[in-house]
Every structure is written in C-alpha cells, then in structure tokens.
Amino acid sequence: MHALIVVAHHDPQSLTHSVAAQVAAGLTAAGHTVEIADLAAEGFDPRYTAADHAVHRTRATPPADVRAEQARIDRADALVLAFPIYWWSLPGLLKGWIDRVFINGWAIEYSPDTPVVKKLRHLNVHLLALGAADDDAFDRHGYAQAMRTQIDYGIFDYCGAQVLTSALLLDSESGGAQAHLEKAWAVGQGLFDVETVAG
C-alpha cells in the first residue's frame, strides 16, 4: 500500500522532519511505499486567494498546485501529517495547505441548498503533532481536546476521512525526542494494520 506523508516545517534538520522520516522508514520496513511532501522545501503557497475562493463559490477550476496536491492524496491509501504545534494548532503552512486543497467539489460537496456530502470516506489519516509543552499543560488548559475537536473532527471528519492516529508528541525540546522517533517508526510500521487505533 502507499502513504503520503505531508511535513510542514521549514528546517529539514528539525525533529518534525525526523519524525516524518521515521514514519517512512517504518512503512518501508513493512513493505509499503511512501511519498514525502515537504511543503516548505517545495514552496507550496498557503495563501488562500481570490482564485481559491472562486473554486468554493462557483466551482471554478482549481489552481494547478491544488490539483497536484489532490492527485498526491488520491494516489495514497493513507495520509500522514507531521507538523509542529504553533499557538496550540497547525502551523500556517499546513493550515493553508488544507484550506486550499480540501475544497468543495473534492473533499466535500456543498451548496447553500443541499446538505454537505463527505467525499473522503475512503481516506485514513494519521496525525503526528510535535509540541514543546508537556502533557500537563495541554490537559490543564484543554488544548489537547481543542486540537482534536478542530483538526480531527472539524477538518477530517467533516470530509468523511477517518483519523486512525492522533498523537501529540509533547515535551519534544527537553528529552522526549527519542521516544517520539520510536513512536513514529511504530506508526509507520503498523500504518496499514487493521488494529491501528487513535492514541
């Protein structure tokens, strides 16, 4: 099977990139294929423009870069997002990728006169979010649940995609890095196992 790993970090030496590489290594070790989409290195433009708005409102043809990203997802049996947590959410680069790529007519079917049709029911998603704060900070302030609400449900469930892994890899700047790399490899190794569960 084939997975698309989308990594959203400007520094190729970052822990985020290392986590993505470990997921890829686990997938390869399990006999699967993988493509890594490095949004920063590839220069993906996250800005939602009038052209993007026209796609949503009038079903205009999506820009070429959006169609290329959709084709990458369409080729994949699973989507993995590896990203740093910025201000308790997705970084702007990744949020812009979602805003522009997960569009009306492709991810959902929507008009003011009809209910939303979820078009990505075939897509399994795995989220690996890296943060510097510890579990206590995320739990104490409700950030962990807020992230799951806005990302797992607000984005992916809204499109019909199933989030199978939703992992907060926290305390990443003070000793958790090795454990995160091991978790990433295990996620990759078991990505297509039927018993893969959220956690």
Side-chain angles (χ1 to χ4, degrees):
M1 300 190 85
H2 181 68
L4 174 65
I5 301 173
V6 177
V7 59
H9 198 293
H10 63 278
D11 181 1
Q13 302 304 313
S14 66
L15 181 57
T16 302
H17 276 270
S18 295
V19 162
Q22 285 299 105
V23 174
L27 279 158
T28 302
H32 303 294
T33 59
V34 63
E35 177 183 2
I36 296 180
D38 183 342
L39 299 182
E42 295 171 6
F44 181 81
D45 187 350
R47 295 172 298 171
Y48 189 89
T49 68
D52 298 298
H53 190 69
V55 172
H56 177 72
R57 300 300 284 175
T58 68
R59 300 296 177 88
T61 300
D65 61 340
V66 169
R67 292 193 314 271
E69 296 302 312
Q70 291 170 344
R72 282 174 144 172
I73 298 169
D74 288 341
R75 288 191 300 268
D77 300 297
L79 173 66
V80 179
L81 302 184
F83 59 93
I85 299 168
Y86 289 173
W87 290 105
W88 316 107
S89 188
L90 301 167
L93 177 60
L94 185 56
K95 180 60 167 63
W97 182 80
I98 291 168
D99 289 345
R100 295 191 64 218
V101 174
F102 285 69
I103 57 175
N104 191 17
W106 182 79
I108 59 169
E109 197 72 46
Y110 164 81
S111 75
D113 304 323
T114 59
V116 171
V117 175
K118 301 178 178 194
K119 297 187 74 172
L120 297 182
R121 294 186 185 277
H122 62 281
L123 185 64
N124 291 331
V125 178
H126 303 267
L127 306 171
L128 298 171
L130 288 94
D134 60 18
D135 291 293
D136 289 341
F138 272 78
D139 292 337
R140 183 171 59 251
H141 299 296
Y143 297 136
Q145 186 56 50
M147 286 185 66
R148 287 194 170 95
T149 298
Q150 67 173 316
I151 300 169
D152 300 28
Y153 304 109
I155 297 170
F156 293 108
D157 183 64
Y158 189 73
C159 301
Q162 185 175 5
V163 176
L164 298 182
T165 303
S166 184
L168 297 177
L169 307 179
L170 303 177
D171 208 16
S172 62
E173 293 180 354
S174 55
Q178 186 57 42
H180 298 337
L181 294 173
E182 292 168 7
K183 166 81 174 176
W185 194 90
V187 166
Q189 173 107 42
L191 199 74
F192 294 111
D193 292 350
V194 292
E195 58 272 355
T196 300
V197 294

